[in-house]
Amino acid sequence: MILFYLNSKVISGHEYMFKRIYNQYEFSKILLNRITLSNLRLLFNRNIIISAGSPRQNLFLIFFASFLCKQVFVYTPFGFDLVYFKIKFPHFKNLIYEILMQKKNISFVTCSNEQKKYLQKRFPGKQIFVVRNYYLNSTKSDEQLNLKKSKIYYVGRIEENQKNVGFFIELKRMINLEIILIGSCSSNSLINKLKISGISIQEESINPYANISTNDLIILPSIYEGAALVVIEAAHLGIPIFLYNSIGNRKITDNPILFENYDELVELISLFEQNDKGLKERILKFRKEVVNEYCIKSFLDDIKILTSKLNDLNEK
């Protein structure tokens, strides 16, 4: 038997990705939202546990599963997870985490080949599977890109730690363009700060891209990412996207459009408004790379490799 475990109150891009993996698997399965002492008994008589959410969140589950189960697959979008982990947790938990992940019956599932490289450096010899995300809607053709002065958007969770949305407050002071953030936010003080700065906020809908055209621009200022779903969606929809030069963003493909600071971003926006030929070529090249790398075919190829391993273990 296999137990699928999702530990998250908020369904963001990576939890959504995990559910796609879950939906592709054909054998009997259980999807839980929380492990407690009372339901810990579910770990018994399981060949395999597949855990999503951050490994930091799931230390309790992974610790017991590593002793009770034949194999534990930990889905982690961040191969560099320990960097953030050290900031958030005391030293003894870092030690438990590092020792635990060295166990032979723990394998990783991650979201990109770049994150796999990070994991391989930290855990040499560890079995690591990649399952790339995708976007199913029809892909816009290159000819539909026509840059002009328009609006700047952000799509995703509105928070300051990972997503770094406070970045837009200073940017608004530097440019005379409308900035619109689309997503959920749990901090009223952050919402007020953004609105006072002249930034619009829209609640995330079923289709957050409904009013964003291929003449608009998405900016992702995150200080770290796995393989951001918004990048994949924007590329397939033909919407230009600029990324902060951070872990996960800089290597999502070979040629992302990156900025290091406000001055570099303002320069990119200026070129964007001028319909600069060189920038247009870079945008189209990056879009093509993303569309080719993160597509349904890649996802199904990756799933085939992972489920083949799951089936082999489940039959033993």
Side-chain angles (χ1 to χ4, degrees):
M1 288 290 290
I2 297 177
L3 175 68
F4 283 72
Y5 172 68
L6 175 62
N7 178 16
S8 181
K9 294 179 181 178
V10 179
I11 303 300
S12 62
H14 297 295
E15 284 76 22
Y16 181 58
M17 175 64 189
F18 181 75
K19 285 197 170 185
R20 283 180 162 174
I21 297 173
Y22 167 84
N23 290 333
Q24 283 291 322
Y25 196 71
E26 297 175 354
F27 287 80
S28 58
K29 49 200 176 277
I30 302 169
L31 182 64
L32 295 179
N33 288 319
R34 191 180 177 197
I35 282 287
T36 63
L37 283 172
S38 61
N39 64 23
L40 196 60
R41 58 185 173 76
L42 292 169
L43 297 182
F44 290 90
N45 300 319
R46 304 282 171 184
N47 285 340
I48 306 165
I49 300 290
I50 302 181
S51 161
S54 166
R56 301 185 308 274
Q57 295 171 314
N58 296 342
L59 273 181
F60 180 71
L61 166 78
I62 297 167
F63 177 80
F64 284 102
S66 69
F67 291 100
L68 298 174
C69 306
K70 183 184 295 182
Q71 190 72 32
V72 181
F73 287 82
V74 178
Y75 179 78
T76 173
F78 307 122
F80 52 87
D81 195 65
L82 189 64
V83 176
Y84 182 62
F85 189 85
K86 284 181 177 176
I87 297 170
K88 293 283 286 184
F89 291 91
H91 179 73
F92 78 93
K93 283 195 174 181
N94 291 321
L95 185 61
I96 292 171
Y97 177 85
E98 284 296 295
I99 292 172
L100 191 56
M101 294 305 153
Q102 298 289 349
K103 291 199 68 177
K104 289 183 179 179
N105 67 332
I106 292 180
S107 300
F108 289 111
V109 182
T110 191
C111 60
S112 74
N113 288 315
E114 181 64 16
Q115 300 306 330
K116 180 178 180 179
K117 290 176 185 176
Y118 280 109
L119 287 166
Q120 286 173 328
K121 287 178 183 177
R122 286 179 54 205
F123 304 103
K126 181 70 69 176
Q127 192 169 40
I128 303 165
F129 297 88
V130 174
V131 180
R132 288 162 288 183
N133 217 329
Y134 64 93
Y135 187 67
L136 268 181
N137 286 26
S138 58
T139 301
K140 299 286 180 71
S141 67
D142 291 350
E143 290 72 28
Q144 290 173 287
L145 178 61
N146 181 28
L147 310 185
K148 66 178 184 181
K149 183 172 180 177
S150 195
K151 299 174 183 176
I152 288 177
Y153 285 88
Y154 163 86
V155 178
R157 284 182 292 113
I158 300 174
E159 58 91 35
E160 292 190 277
N161 294 323
Q162 177 196 350
K163 299 300 184 180
N164 190 30
V165 296
F167 176 93
F168 290 105
I169 295 173
E170 179 61 26
L171 181 64
K172 180 63 178 173
R173 297 190 188 109
M174 300 176 72
I175 61 172
N176 186 28
L177 286 175
E178 185 175 359
I179 299 178
I180 301 167
L181 311 188
I182 302 175
S184 58
C185 181
S186 59
S187 170
N188 289 329
S189 62
L190 177 58
I191 290 174
N192 291 334
K193 235 184 351 178
L194 291 165
K195 286 183 175 178
I196 289 170
S197 301
I199 296 168
S200 302
I201 297 176
Q202 296 178 7
E203 283 291 325
E204 189 168 359
S205 60
I206 294 174
N207 179 13
Y209 304 96
N211 297 317
I212 307 178
S213 79
T214 54
N215 297 323
D216 292 319
L217 173 64
I218 294 176
I219 292 174
L220 186 65
S222 308
I223 58 173
Y224 64 91
E225 286 287 351
L229 187 57
V230 62
V231 178
I232 298 166
E233 292 169 339
H236 281 269
L237 290 168
I239 304 167
I241 183 166
F242 297 163
L243 312 175
Y244 178 60
N245 187 8
S246 59
I247 295 174
N249 283 341
R250 69 175 67 105
K251 290 292 185 179
I252 189 167
T253 65
D254 290 334
N255 296 285
I257 313 298
L258 301 172
F259 59 91
E260 192 77 47
N261 50 50
Y262 287 107
D263 291 338
E264 287 186 9
L265 178 57
V266 170
E267 176 64 22
L268 282 171
I269 293 170
S270 175
L271 292 173
F272 182 86
E273 291 179 312
Q274 297 167 31
N275 207 13
D276 181 78
K277 183 180 178 182
L279 179 59
K280 182 174 180 176
E281 289 174 353
R282 290 176 62 196
I283 290 171
L284 294 177
K285 183 176 184 179
F286 176 49
R287 180 197 299 175
K288 188 174 182 180
E289 289 176 349
V290 174
V291 168
N292 290 338
E293 176 78 10
Y294 299 91
C295 60
I296 185 65
K297 182 182 182 303
S298 298
F299 172 78
L300 293 176
D301 288 346
D302 294 341
I303 281 290
K304 186 176 179 181
I305 294 170
L306 176 62
T307 53
S308 175
K309 181 66 174 180
L310 294 176
N311 292 342
D312 290 344
L313 289 169
N314 201 37
E315 290 169 1
K316 289 180 181 178

